[in-house]
């Protein structure tokens, strides 16, 4: 069975990158190489895997990737830390908590 992975890496500058792949190990190696000098992570190496989830349906992996890319930094951290209470809280109260992308 073929798997597709949605993942989050943390870059050396503290930012997060969310993506999808069908080979997680290869993709991490690509992020940490200079294979694509114009990529977001190219000048933010090394990157470290923070979270991933496997799917058998590539459309589901793409849907989750797009969803996470729209999340605040705070919400991504809650997902990485598996803090489900905060994840729900930040989902319901975005206007109260705001983006806080600098945290």
């Amino acid at each position: 069975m073929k798997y597709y992975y949605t993942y989050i890496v943390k870059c050396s500058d503290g930012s997060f990158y969310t993506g999808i792949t069908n080979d997680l190990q290869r993709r991490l190696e690509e992020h940490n190489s200079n294979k694509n000098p114009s990529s977001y992570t190219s000048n933010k190496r090394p990157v470290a895997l923070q979270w991933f989830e496997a799917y058998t349906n590539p459309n589901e992996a793409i849907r989750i990737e797009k969803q996470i890319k729209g999340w605040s930094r705070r919400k991504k951290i809650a997902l990485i830390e598996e803090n489900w209470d905060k994840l729900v809280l930040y989902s319901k109260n975005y206007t109260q908590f705001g983006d806080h992308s600098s945290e």
Side-chain angles (χ1 to χ4, degrees), residues 7-11 15-18 28 31 41 47-50:
Y7 64 92
I8 300 173
V9 294
K10 187 172 187 178
C11 301
S15 65
F16 292 120
Y17 176 84
T18 304
L28 290 171
H31 279 301
T41 58
V47 304
L49 182 65
Q50 300 295 299

Side-chain angles (χ1 to χ4, degrees), residues 34-83:
N34 202 17
K35 185 172 182 164
N36 186 357
S38 63
S39 72
Y40 177 80
T41 58
S42 180
N43 65 347
K44 296 169 175 50
R45 294 175 283 142
V47 304
L49 182 65
Q50 300 295 299
W51 175 89
F52 73 92
E53 196 160 273
Y55 304 91
T56 56
N57 181 337
N59 293 323
E60 183 69 4
I62 292 167
R63 185 184 71 76
I64 297 299
E65 176 201 24
K66 288 180 180 180
Q67 182 180 26
I68 292 171
K69 282 187 172 188
W71 287 2
S72 66
R73 177 179 179 79
R74 214 178 234 200
K75 194 169 173 182
K76 290 174 188 175
I77 292 170
L79 174 66
I80 291 165
E81 294 176 349
E82 297 182 353
N83 189 329

